[in-house]
């Protein structure tokens, strides 16, 4: 189970890292033609990008160094909540593929949060 959690954490770290960088540094390019980006102001999207980058580090660093591993649980939980927000936003704009992706990512983050709160290494 520990290996599965690590694989999922590395995958999530790469995914949310890319997402955070895009929200912070490539917002204009990524938001072109995507109506759901109008749901929140640009500053909110940038704040979510910063949050994703912080949580990206929180998914791996605390558990890797056995330093406050509860931070990994908190990071995964925060990202799961963020995914719920994105499900709502994408439903509002009828973006079904994005709803499915956000749902799967939310479940993945919830599983990581649960798994890391139960497995102590």
């Amino acid at each position: 189970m520990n290996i599965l959690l690590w694989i999922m954490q590395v995958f999530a770290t790469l995914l949310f890292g890319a997402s955070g960088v895009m929200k912070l540094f490539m917002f204009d390019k990524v938001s072109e033609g995507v109506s759901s980006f109008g749901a929140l102001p640009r500053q909110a999207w940038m704040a979510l990008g910063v949050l994703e980058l912080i949580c990206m580090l929180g998914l791996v660093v605390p558990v890797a160094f056995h330093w406050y591993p509860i931070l990994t649980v908190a990071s995964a939980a925060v990202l799961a909540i963020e995914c719920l927000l994105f499900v709502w936003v994408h439903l509002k704009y009828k973006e079904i593929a994005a709803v499915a992706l956000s749902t799967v990512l939310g479940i993945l983050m919830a599983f990581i949060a649960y798994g890391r709160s139960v497995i102590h290494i």
Side-chain angles (χ1 to χ4, degrees):
M1 183 60 81
N2 187 39
I3 293 170
L4 175 64
L5 286 170
W6 268 113
I7 291 169
M8 292 181 352
Q9 284 170 245
V10 169
F11 171 73
T13 296
L14 295 172
L15 189 70
F16 282 102
S19 177
V21 166
M22 286 191 297
K23 285 181 180 93
L24 276 175
F25 302 110
M26 301 168 32
F27 184 80
D28 292 330
K29 186 174 184 177
V30 202
S31 63
E32 286 178 8
V34 181
S35 57
S36 61
F37 275 101
L40 300 169
R42 181 185 178 118
Q43 292 78 13
W45 287 110
M46 292 182 81
L48 288 172
V50 170
L51 179 73
E52 287 176 0
L53 292 176
I54 291 169
C55 287
M56 172 197 79
L57 292 173
L59 284 175
V60 176
V61 174
V63 172
F65 292 108
H66 303 284
W67 181 74
Y68 294 109
I70 193 71
L71 292 176
T72 297
V73 175
S75 294
V78 166
L79 290 171
I81 293 167
E82 181 192 46
C83 287
L84 282 176
L85 169 70
F86 289 156
V87 166
W88 174 77
V89 167
H90 294 305
L91 275 174
K92 182 178 173 184
Y93 288 91
K94 296 177 177 58
E95 298 169 342
I96 303 305
V99 168
L101 178 63
S102 294
T103 301
V104 169
L105 286 174
I107 292 169
L108 175 75
M109 293 296 98
F111 184 78
I112 290 171
Y114 174 75
R116 284 297 175 204
S117 66
V118 172
I119 296 175
H120 303 288
I121 42 174

